[in-house]
Amino acid sequence: PARYFDTKTTEPISFFLTGLEELLAWQPNSNDEFNVSAVPLAKRQPPLQSGRPRTLVCHDMRGGYLEDRFIQGLATSDPYVFYHWRYIDIFVYFSHHTVTIPPVVWTNAAHRNSVPVLGTFITEWTDGEKLCEAFLAGGEEAYGAVAEQLARIAQHYRFDGWLINIENTLSAVAVGNLPFFLQELTARVHSAVPGGLVIWYDSVVKDGTLRWQNELNDQNMIFFDSCDGLFTNYNWKEEQLELTQRLAGPRLNDVYVGIDVFGRGDVIGSGFDTDKPLRLIRQYGLSAAIFAPGWVYEHLGKENFLQNENRFWGLLAEYLPTHSICTLPLTTSFSLGMGTSTFLDGKDEDSGPWYDLSAQDIQPLYPEQPGMLNTSCSLQDAWCGGSSLQLQGIIPPGEERVAVRLFSLQMPAPPKIFLTLLYKLEGPQPDDFTVALEVTTWDSGFCFEGNPTSLPEPNGRYYPRFLPAPPPGLTRLLAACRRGSYGWTSRCYELELQDCSLRDLSLIVSRQQPSLQETPFTCLLGEIRVLDTASVAASPPQVQGVTASQLWWQ
């Protein structure tokens, strides 16, 4: 069927639903198994519901369902990718189709990086009025059926909820039932999807007219009270933030103040000045909704996209609270889910462009210190996948080393940890530097390295012990200790901790000789793994009950 498979190639594709009839007729179907997310939402610290402002990203690009609709990837050059997952809390996939089911490649990439994904339910123009009249003015049975279908769809495809956007006027009966519809939908999503969310977009007001408020007020409070959050329109002024803050009370973090990166209408800042509105929003303790950050790709073009993307998010980073990884194993090759080539064990296996967000790895932090450190993605060389992480920086005069924070962690440390690292030093004198890993722990008087006779590290910094070869039981898994090739260096480490809680994983670049000159360095990271020895040593569960379907022999 054309909805599920591309008519030209027969490849499986992601799809949307148009109109009320398609929504109400939707049933799970054996053809849409490709569209079910295969990656559960990874845990994070602090949890989404902790009392701090959140960041929502609303992705709206040229109508949606572009190259990202191809579930098994596509050979395409310079696609759009998003990878600053550590800095955001919620991802919304937006289009102007009635029911926007997020393409599964986005859900897989976001979930791997602990970010929930929402689809969009939108009605607009005169068709939207008719649609709303049919289900909202139709009473409890009619709007209950829509709520039930939306919750079932999120549950079936394993994404995390809905943005609701009613951009048309409503009759008195319809607007009277709207809060009940939102309450019903929210309750059904919460029960069908663990951690599910329903967010209302600031559009229709309580008398049914379409009038964007750009704030939380008595005109839209009834809808805010009926779901998990409000996403405001973009044309607000500072005094409206003050009013919103006052009215939201304890639900301050549930108001997502809109920022349009394209700067349409009367806005405080957009493009590379998006930090201006964001700074104001944070001054009032509110959450932010960044709309269409694909501006970087659409407006500035595909050329230099990765540099421009890092610049855009780097300018916002101080206003974006990051979330930490809280489970092991942590393993990543830093792949963006795209490349100009495919690398395996450092070898360029297949020169040709590719794009598959489902293959995107866990992403690190992207620390920037202007003039001192630049973190970026290199498509020119990789250990596995399509890209490596490139660190370019300077060791200042008189200093011996520089630390680059790659991951924030928040979890109890297992008694014994193995770490593997693959890296490549570039530049005129790579032999002038050494590279190592550093693990920091949260302050605690009880945290010790190794045996209890050792003293706690005053600043909680630990340098895992270098292992020339893996321990006998782990030789097969940790073949990495000896597998450097194509210029990559491979290292294995071990760290024993007692009663500690992990905090950060950093890369240390040191110079071999002290110097009063500043020393520039370039280091590519190909892979990092952090493993709990006990769980690694246990034998993996056997796979059972494999079935194969959708076979096509040629």
Side-chain angles (χ1 to χ4, degrees):
R3 175 186 285 174
Y4 303 101
F5 300 98
D6 182 56
T7 46
K8 290 196 189 76
T9 64
T10 75
E11 289 175 29
I13 51 173
S14 293
F15 62 88
F16 50 86
L17 303 175
T18 305
L20 201 53
E21 279 177 32
E22 281 194 12
L23 169 60
L24 294 173
W26 176 86
Q27 288 295 343
N29 176 315
S30 63
N31 285 318
D32 61 24
E33 287 170 6
F34 289 108
N35 276 290
V36 176
S37 170
V39 182
L41 178 58
K43 290 187 170 68
R44 52 163 275 184
Q45 282 294 344
L48 188 66
Q49 301 301 339
S50 62
R52 67 176 198 178
R54 303 178 201 118
T55 308
L56 177 153
V57 159
C58 190
H59 173 65
D60 174 22
M61 186 173 282
R62 302 201 305 270
Y65 300 95
L66 306 171
E67 294 99 332
D68 53 7
R69 74 183 186 279
F70 289 95
I71 295 167
Q72 295 173 331
L74 196 65
T76 184
S77 301
D78 305 315
Y80 174 74
V81 289
F82 176 82
Y83 49 93
H84 284 81
W85 297 109
R86 296 278 135 233
Y87 301 86
I88 76 161
D89 301 291
I90 300 166
F91 182 86
V92 178
Y93 193 87
F94 184 89
S95 83
H96 289 275
H97 303 289
T98 315
V99 179
T100 298
I101 299 168
V104 65
V105 296
W106 281 104
T107 307
N108 288 340
H111 278 186
R112 190 170 287 126
N113 287 283
S114 314
V115 174
V117 176
L118 308 187
T120 306
F121 177 70
I122 189 172
T123 66
E124 44 193 348
W125 313 106
T126 46
D127 284 351
E129 282 180 47
K130 288 179 198 154
L131 193 151
C132 289
E133 197 59 23
F135 89 92
L136 283 173
E140 193 174 342
E141 199 175 323
Y143 67 70
V146 169
E148 181 183 5
Q149 285 293 78
L150 290 174
R152 286 179 69 211
I153 287 169
Q155 181 183 43
H156 178 68
Y157 296 115
R158 298 187 190 160
F159 61 96
D160 307 286
W162 296 98
L163 173 70
I164 305 297
N165 188 359
I166 307 291
E167 298 232 34
N168 46 256
T169 53
L170 296 177
S171 68
V173 182
V175 81
N177 281 332
L178 182 53
F180 301 122
F181 163 66
L182 285 174
Q183 289 162 24
E184 171 102 356
L185 174 63
T186 305
R188 284 184 179 274
V189 165
H190 287 182
S191 93
V193 178
L197 294 168
V198 174
I199 293 175
W200 170 255
Y201 181 69
D202 160 30
S203 48
V204 166
V205 292
K206 66 182 181 185
D207 69 359
T209 53
L210 177 59
R211 219 169 51 236
W212 297 271
Q213 299 297 293
N214 303 295
E215 65 182 13
L216 175 64
N217 60 26
D218 62 347
Q219 293 294 308
N220 56 22
M221 189 74 165
I222 188 166
F223 308 125
F224 177 57
D225 286 340
S226 302
C227 67
D228 295 309
L230 167 76
F231 176 157
T232 79
N233 194 43
Y234 317 103
N235 305 127
W236 45 267
K237 293 285 172 275
E238 186 173 354
E239 51 271 26
Q240 291 172 292
L241 298 182
E242 208 173 327
L243 179 73
T244 298
Q245 181 194 47
R246 228 175 26 247
L247 268 180
R251 290 189 65 198
L252 203 56
N253 304 144
D254 294 337
V255 181
Y256 301 85
V257 180
I259 301 174
D260 180 1
V261 180
F262 276 85
R264 288 160 284 209
D266 181 11
V267 300
I268 284 169
S270 59
F272 286 127
D273 288 329
T274 298
D275 59 316
K276 290 176 180 159
L278 185 56
R279 183 171 66 240
L280 272 181
I281 290 166
R282 296 305 196 214
Q283 277 172 15
Y284 290 89
L286 294 157
S287 290
I290 301 174
F291 183 76
W295 169 86
V296 175
Y297 183 84
E298 289 190 70
H299 179 72
L300 300 174
K302 299 175 178 184
E303 220 166 304
N304 301 324
F305 164 62
L306 295 177
Q307 291 95 305
N308 290 332
E309 181 77 344
N310 288 342
R311 181 184 164 204
F312 177 82
W313 290 100
L315 290 167
L316 305 183
E318 68 175 295
Y319 308 111
L320 302 175
T322 59
H323 45 90
S324 303
I325 290 169
C326 61
T327 51
L328 293 180
L330 161 58
T331 165
T332 181
S333 302
F334 306 103
S335 180
L336 295 176
M338 56 142 332
T340 49
S341 251
T342 304
F343 293 85
L344 185 63
D345 291 348
K347 180 173 182 252
D348 185 344
E349 290 281 335
D350 174 20
S351 274
W354 63 277
Y355 171 61
D356 179 2
L357 281 173
S358 287
Q360 189 183 79
D361 264 316
I362 291 177
Q363 292 298 306
L365 297 165
Y366 282 86
E368 288 288 323
Q369 293 162 14
M372 297 297 290
L373 175 70
N374 172 259
T375 311
S376 60
C377 314
S378 169
L379 302 178
Q380 280 66 53
D381 200 353
W383 175 255
C384 179
S387 52
S388 56
L389 191 69
Q390 180 172 276
L391 308 172
Q392 289 176 298
I394 284 167
I395 301 178
E399 308 253 326
E400 284 175 31
R401 39 169 262 169
V402 64
V404 183
R405 184 166 164 254
L406 299 173
F407 292 99
S408 65
L409 311 168
Q410 200 170 329
M411 64 185 115
K416 191 184 276 190
I417 304 169
F418 278 111
L419 305 97
T420 67
L421 169 67
L422 274 145
Y423 69 91
K424 184 183 276 195
L425 283 163
E426 297 197 318
Q429 284 133 342
D431 296 342
D432 291 355
F433 301 97
T434 56
V435 171
L437 290 173
E438 175 188 85
V439 174
T440 59
T441 57
W442 293 89
D443 284 342
S444 149
F446 311 109
C447 173
F448 295 93
E449 182 176 359
N451 56 36
T453 56
S454 63
L455 295 168
E457 286 286 326
N459 52 7
R461 293 181 189 284
Y462 297 93
Y463 301 97
R465 189 166 59 88
F466 172 62
L467 295 176
L474 298 176
T475 316
R476 235 179 58 234
L477 182 92
L478 297 182
C481 302
R482 298 199 196 93
R483 62 181 181 155
S485 54
Y486 297 95
W488 291 91
T489 302
S490 137
R491 290 276 184 267
C492 269
Y493 305 91
E494 179 180 69
L495 182 61
E496 290 185 60
L497 294 171
Q498 290 205 342
D499 302 321
C500 299
S501 187
L502 300 178
R503 181 173 187 168
D504 285 318
L505 178 65
S506 300
L507 188 83
I508 306 293
V509 181
S510 313
R511 47 178 158 206
Q512 302 273 29
Q513 302 296 326
S515 167
L516 295 174
Q517 307 293 315
E518 61 177 37
T519 316
F521 65 87
T522 301
C523 180
L524 297 182
L525 292 188
E527 182 188 80
I528 280 186
R529 296 192 286 178
V530 184
L531 310 167
D532 171 0
T533 314
S535 62
V536 168
S539 56
Q542 294 299 303
V543 175
Q544 291 175 328
V546 175
T547 60
S549 61
Q550 310 277 1
L551 300 179
W552 179 274
W553 294 100
Q554 295 193 116

